[in-house]
Amino acid sequence: MTMYAILETNNNPSETIRSVLKNMLSEKLVDVVLVPFKTEYSSLPMPTLIADPEKMLQAQPLAPAAPFNAARQAASVLRYPTGKKVAVVLRTCEIRALIELAKLKQCVLDEAILIGFDCMGRIENDSYLEMAAQEEDITTSFYADSSMQDRITGICKACEYFQPYGADLTICLLGMPVMEKIGLMAGTEAGENIIKSLGLSTVEQPEGREVAANSLLQKRTEARDKLFSETSEKIKDIEKFQKTIANCLNCYNCRNACPVCYCKECVFLTDVFAHEPEVLQRRAAKRGAVKLPADTTMFHMTRLAHMSHACVGCGQCSSVCPSSIPVADIFRTVSAKVQELYNYVPGRDISESIPYLVFEEESSNGK
Amino acid sequence: MSDEFEPKIIALVCNWCTYTAADLAGTSRLAYSANVRIIRLMCTGMIDPKYILKALLDGADGVFIGGCHPGDCHYINGNLKAKKRISGISKIVEQFGFDPERLRLRWIGASEGPEFQRNMNEFFESIKALGSTPVRDRMIL
Ligand code: SF4
Ligand code: SF4
Ligand code: FES
């Protein structure tokens, strides 16, 4: 039976989670917690590593904002085992990306406690800041008033992976009267131990989660399919694709923001693409004209070739694009086909190999 | 010269098998399409996706990849790595309007000169039937 505890929220679910995290620290169940945190300087919560339980007051574990996909920050804390227990509170797309990074040996999850929550999506940074200027506690309003949930990004609306995979603990919001109570569900033995050590009384998992999950899944899947068909239309031939990315500046923000663009050094920053003047002149001569910076199309397609199996659809690449290119729409759409080909869901299961690392022996001629 | 479509075909072939087969085809005077430009690599396993993407974006009408039969790769499984990688690239480029038929992977052993000739001619014919690449005469950003 899944171990499940009910937590009263008294109209403030963030506070409830804060006190759980705080207790985990003060009871020394974990040594540090990585969690979104509102600094004294801005409303936008930043991933922050907390050691002092008192600091937990500023944590925003459920804030509907994510200035970036924090998988990378989590991976930097978990780069190698340190003998300390590290809890990380992450959105589903962040946990999935973190699992992909673990497969690439860029972090080790053995000492990590992964805490996820049913993700209702995130709001873009600028809108979030605007809203934060109007009201003190956006997080509570966001869960209290479902119309606010319409303000999440388009890519979040199309995300069917809102339930955490592989988390030690899941903060259950689906099907719960969030302003009264939420659930804390263990997904692993480590998670169970935490629930036990915190002395939380466990109950049978309440019904309603599955129903709520299914109806959200249906809504999200419909939005996803619409996104796929509209995006396919925008890229379906090279002319359309060129129009879609025509304003790209080769700033590589999208690549920087991407949690699963895993290369330590991007080839686009190496000499391979630092062309000699003669090369550019020759290309201009050959094709009549060459747009600079060159290799914009090459950049996007190479990035796809490298990481499309692992795209978690977090949307950060679109969020950071200065030219409003629907990068995430394109990457999710194209990646979906690649992932379907390999029957691979990034971050689904840490024991599942990266498709490019498994090659079957077969005899047919090349096909 | 007539206006007839002359496809540009790039063949990326491994040193140990398919290139040797091409060499054998040559010394055996087995003629094949002159539109094929061969690039020799040590192994298909070292084919970076960029090689294929660059060829396609620079106007190649077709890209042929030839390696050793499974089990014969001189680097154990480079050919199987290539196969896996190419299946993904093919899925990607297809969505941007490149017919996946423009990419072809075949295993041709060192002694298979006639096989090399046949493959080149077949690929040439199929590219000819597909027509010119969508990137010809178009600025690629
Ligand atoms: S490509 Fe974009 S949507 Fe996909 S994982 Fe990277 S940043 Fe997220
Ligand atoms: S962030 Fe936008 S402009 Fe910058 S490289 Fe990516 S797509 Fe191009
Ligand atoms: S050496 Fe021929 S495919 Fe590897």
Side-chain angles (χ1 to χ4, degrees), chain A residues 307-348:
Chain A
M307 51 56 72
S308 52
H309 67 281
C311 172
V312 294
C314 63
Q316 295 292 352
C317 47
S318 285
S319 295
V320 297
C321 179
S323 291
S324 307
I325 293 164
V327 196
D329 297 357
I330 301 171
F331 275 62
R332 248 221 96 181
T333 303
V334 174
S335 299
K337 297 269 192 213
V338 174
Q339 293 171 12
E340 185 191 330
L341 172 74
Y342 297 131
N343 184 22
Y344 187 73
V345 177
R348 173 168 58 186

mmCIF file of all heavy atoms in Angstrom, chain A residues 307-348:
data_model
loop_
_atom_site.group_PDB
_atom_site.id
_atom_site.type_symbol
_atom_site.label_atom_id
_atom_site.label_comp_id
_atom_site.label_asym_id
_atom_site.label_seq_id
_atom_site.Cartn_x
_atom_site.Cartn_y
_atom_site.Cartn_z
ATOM 1 N N MET A 307 19.558 16.381 -28.346
ATOM 2 C CA MET A 307 18.775 16.230 -27.121
ATOM 3 C C MET A 307 17.289 15.968 -27.304
ATOM 4 O O MET A 307 16.574 15.927 -26.308
ATOM 5 C CB MET A 307 19.001 17.410 -26.161
ATOM 6 C CG MET A 307 18.852 18.828 -26.684
ATOM 7 S SD MET A 307 17.293 19.221 -27.454
ATOM 8 C CE MET A 307 16.193 19.263 -26.052
ATOM 9 N N SER A 308 16.823 15.753 -28.543
ATOM 10 C CA SER A 308 15.368 15.622 -28.678
ATOM 11 C C SER A 308 14.816 14.398 -27.935
ATOM 12 O O SER A 308 13.677 14.416 -27.492
ATOM 13 C CB SER A 308 14.958 15.586 -30.150
ATOM 14 O OG SER A 308 15.694 14.622 -30.838
ATOM 15 N N HIS A 309 15.640 13.355 -27.778
ATOM 16 C CA HIS A 309 15.141 12.202 -27.019
ATOM 17 C C HIS A 309 14.848 12.589 -25.574
ATOM 18 O O HIS A 309 14.104 11.912 -24.886
ATOM 19 C CB HIS A 309 16.173 11.062 -27.042
ATOM 20 C CG HIS A 309 17.426 11.408 -26.293
ATOM 21 N ND1 HIS A 309 18.411 12.198 -26.827
ATOM 22 C CD2 HIS A 309 17.804 11.119 -25.033
ATOM 23 C CE1 HIS A 309 19.366 12.372 -25.916
ATOM 24 N NE2 HIS A 309 19.015 11.731 -24.822
ATOM 25 N N ALA A 310 15.454 13.687 -25.112
ATOM 26 C CA ALA A 310 15.382 14.028 -23.692
ATOM 27 C C ALA A 310 14.575 15.290 -23.396
ATOM 28 O O ALA A 310 14.455 15.679 -22.244
ATOM 29 C CB ALA A 310 16.795 14.189 -23.136
ATOM 30 N N CYS A 311 14.016 15.915 -24.411
ATOM 31 C CA CYS A 311 13.260 17.165 -24.175
ATOM 32 C C CYS A 311 12.096 16.874 -23.235
ATOM 33 O O CYS A 311 11.270 16.013 -23.496
ATOM 34 C CB CYS A 311 12.753 17.751 -25.486
ATOM 35 S SG CYS A 311 11.627 19.149 -25.268
ATOM 36 N N VAL A 312 12.049 17.616 -22.131
ATOM 37 C CA VAL A 312 10.986 17.399 -21.159
ATOM 38 C C VAL A 312 9.857 18.422 -21.319
ATOM 39 O O VAL A 312 8.930 18.457 -20.521
ATOM 40 C CB VAL A 312 11.516 17.412 -19.711
ATOM 41 C CG1 VAL A 312 12.435 16.215 -19.473
ATOM 42 C CG2 VAL A 312 12.240 18.715 -19.389
ATOM 43 N N GLY A 313 9.979 19.243 -22.340
ATOM 44 C CA GLY A 313 8.890 20.177 -22.627
ATOM 45 C C GLY A 313 8.680 21.226 -21.546
ATOM 46 O O GLY A 313 7.557 21.656 -21.294
ATOM 47 N N CYS A 314 9.767 21.662 -20.920
ATOM 48 C CA CYS A 314 9.625 22.617 -19.813
ATOM 49 C C CYS A 314 9.341 24.025 -20.306
ATOM 50 O O CYS A 314 8.914 24.882 -19.544
ATOM 51 C CB CYS A 314 10.887 22.624 -18.952
ATOM 52 S SG CYS A 314 12.358 23.176 -19.823
ATOM 53 N N GLY A 315 9.628 24.278 -21.582
ATOM 54 C CA GLY A 315 9.285 25.580 -22.149
ATOM 55 C C GLY A 315 10.273 26.686 -21.863
ATOM 56 O O GLY A 315 10.081 27.826 -22.292
ATOM 57 N N GLN A 316 11.343 26.383 -21.155
ATOM 58 C CA GLN A 316 12.276 27.452 -20.782
ATOM 59 C C GLN A 316 12.947 28.067 -22.005
ATOM 60 O O GLN A 316 13.256 29.257 -22.015
ATOM 61 C CB GLN A 316 13.326 26.926 -19.795
ATOM 62 C CG GLN A 316 12.750 26.493 -18.458
ATOM 63 C CD GLN A 316 12.211 27.647 -17.625
ATOM 64 O OE1 GLN A 316 12.388 28.814 -17.954
ATOM 65 N NE2 GLN A 316 11.524 27.323 -16.536
ATOM 66 N N CYS A 317 13.156 27.257 -23.043
ATOM 67 C CA CYS A 317 13.807 27.795 -24.240
ATOM 68 C C CYS A 317 12.967 28.903 -24.864
ATOM 69 O O CYS A 317 13.497 29.908 -25.330
ATOM 70 C CB CYS A 317 14.093 26.683 -25.247
ATOM 71 S SG CYS A 317 12.703 25.585 -25.530
ATOM 72 N N SER A 318 11.645 28.746 -24.853
ATOM 73 C CA SER A 318 10.782 29.815 -25.368
ATOM 74 C C SER A 318 10.792 31.013 -24.431
ATOM 75 O O SER A 318 10.815 32.155 -24.873
ATOM 76 C CB SER A 318 9.327 29.338 -25.499
ATOM 77 O OG SER A 318 9.186 28.498 -26.611
ATOM 78 N N SER A 319 10.780 30.728 -23.136
ATOM 79 C CA SER A 319 10.697 31.823 -22.170
ATOM 80 C C SER A 319 11.881 32.774 -22.288
ATOM 81 O O SER A 319 11.740 33.958 -22.025
ATOM 82 C CB SER A 319 10.628 31.278 -20.743
ATOM 83 O OG SER A 319 9.445 30.556 -20.568
ATOM 84 N N VAL A 320 13.042 32.255 -22.645
ATOM 85 C CA VAL A 320 14.234 33.112 -22.671
ATOM 86 C C VAL A 320 14.538 33.687 -24.051
ATOM 87 O O VAL A 320 15.509 34.422 -24.210
ATOM 88 C CB VAL A 320 15.493 32.362 -22.175
ATOM 89 C CG1 VAL A 320 15.335 31.948 -20.717
ATOM 90 C CG2 VAL A 320 15.802 31.158 -23.056
ATOM 91 N N CYS A 321 13.729 33.372 -25.029
ATOM 92 C CA CYS A 321 14.064 33.816 -26.384
ATOM 93 C C CYS A 321 13.737 35.301 -26.569
ATOM 94 O O CYS A 321 12.597 35.715 -26.398
ATOM 95 C CB CYS A 321 13.312 32.986 -27.421
ATOM 96 S SG CYS A 321 13.689 33.539 -29.103
ATOM 97 N N PRO A 322 14.732 36.107 -26.909
ATOM 98 C CA PRO A 322 14.469 37.535 -27.090
ATOM 99 C C PRO A 322 13.664 37.816 -28.352
ATOM 100 O O PRO A 322 13.144 38.919 -28.524
ATOM 101 C CB PRO A 322 15.869 38.145 -27.196
ATOM 102 C CG PRO A 322 16.725 37.035 -27.689
ATOM 103 C CD PRO A 322 16.146 35.772 -27.137
ATOM 104 N N SER A 323 13.576 36.850 -29.245
ATOM 105 C CA SER A 323 12.893 37.073 -30.510
ATOM 106 C C SER A 323 11.532 36.399 -30.572
ATOM 107 O O SER A 323 10.948 36.288 -31.643
ATOM 108 C CB SER A 323 13.757 36.558 -31.661
ATOM 109 O OG SER A 323 14.894 37.369 -31.794
ATOM 110 N N SER A 324 11.053 35.958 -29.429
ATOM 111 C CA SER A 324 9.732 35.308 -29.347
ATOM 112 C C SER A 324 9.559 34.168 -30.336
ATOM 113 O O SER A 324 8.474 33.963 -30.886
ATOM 114 C CB SER A 324 8.609 36.321 -29.546
ATOM 115 O OG SER A 324 8.766 37.381 -28.666
ATOM 116 N N ILE A 325 10.608 33.442 -30.566
ATOM 117 C CA ILE A 325 10.492 32.252 -31.418
ATOM 118 C C ILE A 325 9.891 31.127 -30.571
ATOM 119 O O ILE A 325 10.283 30.955 -29.418
ATOM 120 C CB ILE A 325 11.884 31.871 -31.971
ATOM 121 C CG1 ILE A 325 12.330 32.982 -32.933
ATOM 122 C CG2 ILE A 325 11.861 30.516 -32.682
ATOM 123 C CD1 ILE A 325 13.776 32.957 -33.252
ATOM 124 N N PRO A 326 8.918 30.409 -31.112
ATOM 125 C CA PRO A 326 8.298 29.349 -30.301
ATOM 126 C C PRO A 326 9.201 28.117 -30.215
ATOM 127 O O PRO A 326 8.852 27.026 -30.668
ATOM 128 C CB PRO A 326 7.005 29.045 -31.066
ATOM 129 C CG PRO A 326 7.318 29.401 -32.489
ATOM 130 C CD PRO A 326 8.313 30.527 -32.445
ATOM 131 N N VAL A 327 10.365 28.315 -29.635
ATOM 132 C CA VAL A 327 11.377 27.250 -29.614
ATOM 133 C C VAL A 327 10.829 25.978 -28.958
ATOM 134 O O VAL A 327 10.968 24.876 -29.494
ATOM 135 C CB VAL A 327 12.654 27.681 -28.851
ATOM 136 C CG1 VAL A 327 13.809 26.750 -29.173
ATOM 137 C CG2 VAL A 327 13.023 29.112 -29.147
ATOM 138 N N ALA A 328 10.181 26.160 -27.813
ATOM 139 C CA ALA A 328 9.710 24.977 -27.085
ATOM 140 C C ALA A 328 8.620 24.250 -27.869
ATOM 141 O O ALA A 328 8.563 23.022 -27.865
ATOM 142 C CB ALA A 328 9.200 25.370 -25.708
ATOM 143 N N ASP A 329 7.765 25.010 -28.547
ATOM 144 C CA ASP A 329 6.724 24.359 -29.352
ATOM 145 C C ASP A 329 7.390 23.474 -30.409
ATOM 146 O O ASP A 329 6.990 22.331 -30.639
ATOM 147 C CB ASP A 329 5.835 25.396 -30.056
ATOM 148 C CG ASP A 329 5.079 26.275 -29.060
ATOM 149 O OD1 ASP A 329 5.215 26.034 -27.846
ATOM 150 O OD2 ASP A 329 4.374 27.197 -29.504
ATOM 151 N N ILE A 330 8.402 24.032 -31.049
ATOM 152 C CA ILE A 330 9.103 23.275 -32.096
ATOM 153 C C ILE A 330 9.806 22.058 -31.484
ATOM 154 O O ILE A 330 9.674 20.933 -31.975
ATOM 155 C CB ILE A 330 10.145 24.166 -32.819
ATOM 156 C CG1 ILE A 330 9.478 25.376 -33.462
ATOM 157 C CG2 ILE A 330 10.935 23.357 -33.844
ATOM 158 C CD1 ILE A 330 10.464 26.416 -34.002
ATOM 159 N N PHE A 331 10.523 22.297 -30.410
ATOM 160 C CA PHE A 331 11.293 21.202 -29.827
ATOM 161 C C PHE A 331 10.388 20.111 -29.268
ATOM 162 O O PHE A 331 10.668 18.929 -29.414
ATOM 163 C CB PHE A 331 12.297 21.726 -28.790
ATOM 164 C CG PHE A 331 13.584 22.173 -29.439
ATOM 165 C CD1 PHE A 331 13.579 23.210 -30.352
ATOM 166 C CD2 PHE A 331 14.779 21.532 -29.185
ATOM 167 C CE1 PHE A 331 14.747 23.611 -30.997
ATOM 168 C CE2 PHE A 331 15.959 21.912 -29.822
ATOM 169 C CZ PHE A 331 15.942 22.953 -30.720
ATOM 170 N N ARG A 332 9.300 20.503 -28.649
ATOM 171 C CA ARG A 332 8.399 19.466 -28.120
ATOM 172 C C ARG A 332 7.782 18.674 -29.257
ATOM 173 O O ARG A 332 7.675 17.451 -29.203
ATOM 174 C CB ARG A 332 7.278 20.103 -27.287
ATOM 175 C CG ARG A 332 7.398 19.775 -25.824
ATOM 176 C CD ARG A 332 6.064 19.464 -25.163
ATOM 177 N NE ARG A 332 5.802 18.034 -25.101
ATOM 178 C CZ ARG A 332 4.705 17.517 -24.588
ATOM 179 N NH1 ARG A 332 3.774 18.284 -24.079
ATOM 180 N NH2 ARG A 332 4.511 16.211 -24.598
ATOM 181 N N THR A 333 7.380 19.376 -30.299
ATOM 182 C CA THR A 333 6.711 18.710 -31.419
ATOM 183 C C THR A 333 7.651 17.722 -32.109
ATOM 184 O O THR A 333 7.289 16.566 -32.341
ATOM 185 C CB THR A 333 6.210 19.772 -32.421
ATOM 186 O OG1 THR A 333 5.340 20.666 -31.723
ATOM 187 C CG2 THR A 333 5.475 19.139 -33.583
ATOM 188 N N VAL A 334 8.850 18.199 -32.421
ATOM 189 C CA VAL A 334 9.801 17.327 -33.113
ATOM 190 C C VAL A 334 10.242 16.198 -32.175
ATOM 191 O O VAL A 334 10.314 15.027 -32.571
ATOM 192 C CB VAL A 334 11.017 18.137 -33.632
ATOM 193 C CG1 VAL A 334 12.072 17.218 -34.222
ATOM 194 C CG2 VAL A 334 10.567 19.164 -34.661
ATOM 195 N N SER A 335 10.491 16.550 -30.931
ATOM 196 C CA SER A 335 10.968 15.552 -29.973
ATOM 197 C C SER A 335 9.942 14.450 -29.738
ATOM 198 O O SER A 335 10.309 13.297 -29.508
ATOM 199 C CB SER A 335 11.307 16.209 -28.637
ATOM 200 O OG SER A 335 12.335 17.150 -28.813
ATOM 201 N N ALA A 336 8.680 14.812 -29.784
ATOM 202 C CA ALA A 336 7.646 13.805 -29.537
ATOM 203 C C ALA A 336 7.784 12.654 -30.529
ATOM 204 O O ALA A 336 7.635 11.483 -30.171
ATOM 205 C CB ALA A 336 6.265 14.438 -29.655
ATOM 206 N N LYS A 337 8.114 12.978 -31.781
ATOM 207 C CA LYS A 337 8.264 11.929 -32.792
ATOM 208 C C LYS A 337 9.502 11.082 -32.519
ATOM 209 O O LYS A 337 9.495 9.871 -32.719
ATOM 210 C CB LYS A 337 8.397 12.546 -34.190
ATOM 211 C CG LYS A 337 7.174 13.305 -34.618
ATOM 212 C CD LYS A 337 6.222 12.410 -35.366
ATOM 213 C CE LYS A 337 5.158 13.260 -36.019
ATOM 214 N NZ LYS A 337 3.873 12.653 -36.121
ATOM 215 N N VAL A 338 10.562 11.743 -32.099
ATOM 216 C CA VAL A 338 11.799 11.007 -31.808
ATOM 217 C C VAL A 338 11.572 10.099 -30.598
ATOM 218 O O VAL A 338 11.962 8.928 -30.592
ATOM 219 C CB VAL A 338 12.965 11.992 -31.570
ATOM 220 C CG1 VAL A 338 14.217 11.258 -31.115
ATOM 221 C CG2 VAL A 338 13.243 12.805 -32.829
ATOM 222 N N GLN A 339 10.903 10.634 -29.602
ATOM 223 C CA GLN A 339 10.651 9.847 -28.389
ATOM 224 C C GLN A 339 9.707 8.688 -28.682
ATOM 225 O O GLN A 339 9.850 7.600 -28.123
ATOM 226 C CB GLN A 339 10.106 10.763 -27.281
ATOM 227 C CG GLN A 339 11.171 11.761 -26.815
ATOM 228 C CD GLN A 339 10.649 12.845 -25.879
ATOM 229 O OE1 GLN A 339 9.534 12.772 -25.382
ATOM 230 N NE2 GLN A 339 11.461 13.869 -25.640
ATOM 231 N N GLU A 340 8.789 8.921 -29.583
ATOM 232 C CA GLU A 340 7.872 7.852 -29.981
ATOM 233 C C GLU A 340 8.650 6.751 -30.712
ATOM 234 O O GLU A 340 8.464 5.559 -30.458
ATOM 235 C CB GLU A 340 6.787 8.452 -30.883
ATOM 236 C CG GLU A 340 5.693 7.502 -31.280
ATOM 237 C CD GLU A 340 4.820 8.094 -32.391
ATOM 238 O OE1 GLU A 340 4.665 9.335 -32.466
ATOM 239 O OE2 GLU A 340 4.320 7.314 -33.197
ATOM 240 N N LEU A 341 9.558 7.180 -31.581
ATOM 241 C CA LEU A 341 10.379 6.220 -32.324
ATOM 242 C C LEU A 341 11.131 5.288 -31.379
ATOM 243 O O LEU A 341 11.234 4.090 -31.617
ATOM 244 C CB LEU A 341 11.366 6.994 -33.203
ATOM 245 C CG LEU A 341 12.450 6.210 -33.935
ATOM 246 C CD1 LEU A 341 11.843 5.443 -35.110
ATOM 247 C CD2 LEU A 341 13.565 7.132 -34.431
ATOM 248 N N TYR A 342 11.673 5.861 -30.320
ATOM 249 C CA TYR A 342 12.461 5.051 -29.389
ATOM 250 C C TYR A 342 11.641 4.546 -28.207
ATOM 251 O O TYR A 342 12.201 3.946 -27.293
ATOM 252 C CB TYR A 342 13.645 5.877 -28.859
ATOM 253 C CG TYR A 342 14.617 6.298 -29.930
ATOM 254 C CD1 TYR A 342 15.049 7.607 -30.024
ATOM 255 C CD2 TYR A 342 15.103 5.376 -30.855
ATOM 256 C CE1 TYR A 342 15.954 8.004 -31.010
ATOM 257 C CE2 TYR A 342 16.001 5.763 -31.841
ATOM 258 C CZ TYR A 342 16.421 7.076 -31.909
ATOM 259 O OH TYR A 342 17.305 7.457 -32.872
ATOM 260 N N ASN A 343 10.345 4.813 -28.234
ATOM 261 C CA ASN A 343 9.485 4.450 -27.116
ATOM 262 C C ASN A 343 10.120 4.894 -25.794
ATOM 263 O O ASN A 343 10.274 4.130 -24.858
ATOM 264 C CB ASN A 343 9.230 2.935 -27.139
ATOM 265 C CG ASN A 343 8.269 2.517 -26.048
ATOM 266 O OD1 ASN A 343 7.494 3.338 -25.551
ATOM 267 N ND2 ASN A 343 8.327 1.260 -25.647
ATOM 268 N N TYR A 344 10.509 6.147 -25.801
ATOM 269 C CA TYR A 344 11.276 6.680 -24.672
ATOM 270 C C TYR A 344 10.556 7.883 -24.092
ATOM 271 O O TYR A 344 10.158 8.789 -24.823
ATOM 272 C CB TYR A 344 12.658 7.094 -25.181
ATOM 273 C CG TYR A 344 13.628 7.510 -24.097
ATOM 274 C CD1 TYR A 344 14.188 6.570 -23.252
ATOM 275 C CD2 TYR A 344 13.985 8.845 -23.946
ATOM 276 C CE1 TYR A 344 15.092 6.949 -22.269
ATOM 277 C CE2 TYR A 344 14.889 9.234 -22.964
ATOM 278 C CZ TYR A 344 15.437 8.274 -22.128
ATOM 279 O OH TYR A 344 16.346 8.648 -21.164
ATOM 280 N N VAL A 345 10.384 7.878 -22.786
ATOM 281 C CA VAL A 345 9.851 9.058 -22.113
ATOM 282 C C VAL A 345 10.948 9.569 -21.188
ATOM 283 O O VAL A 345 11.318 8.887 -20.236
ATOM 284 C CB VAL A 345 8.580 8.733 -21.294
ATOM 285 C CG1 VAL A 345 8.092 9.974 -20.553
ATOM 286 C CG2 VAL A 345 7.493 8.180 -22.200
ATOM 287 N N PRO A 346 11.509 10.733 -21.499
ATOM 288 C CA PRO A 346 12.602 11.217 -20.675
ATOM 289 C C PRO A 346 12.169 11.363 -19.225
ATOM 290 O O PRO A 346 11.086 11.859 -18.939
ATOM 291 C CB PRO A 346 12.960 12.575 -21.285
ATOM 292 C CG PRO A 346 11.838 12.933 -22.186
ATOM 293 C CD PRO A 346 11.193 11.656 -22.596
ATOM 294 N N GLY A 347 13.031 10.894 -18.333
ATOM 295 C CA GLY A 347 12.767 11.039 -16.906
ATOM 296 C C GLY A 347 11.732 10.081 -16.357
ATOM 297 O O GLY A 347 11.365 10.168 -15.199
ATOM 298 N N ARG A 348 11.272 9.149 -17.175
ATOM 299 C CA ARG A 348 10.244 8.213 -16.704
ATOM 300 C C ARG A 348 10.819 7.272 -15.656
ATOM 301 O O ARG A 348 10.202 6.960 -14.656
ATOM 302 C CB ARG A 348 9.700 7.415 -17.901
ATOM 303 C CG ARG A 348 8.745 6.280 -17.536
ATOM 304 C CD ARG A 348 8.032 5.738 -18.766
ATOM 305 N NE ARG A 348 8.947 5.235 -19.801
ATOM 306 C CZ ARG A 348 8.540 4.821 -20.995
ATOM 307 N NH1 ARG A 348 7.256 4.854 -21.318
ATOM 308 N NH2 ARG A 348 9.413 4.386 -21.888
#
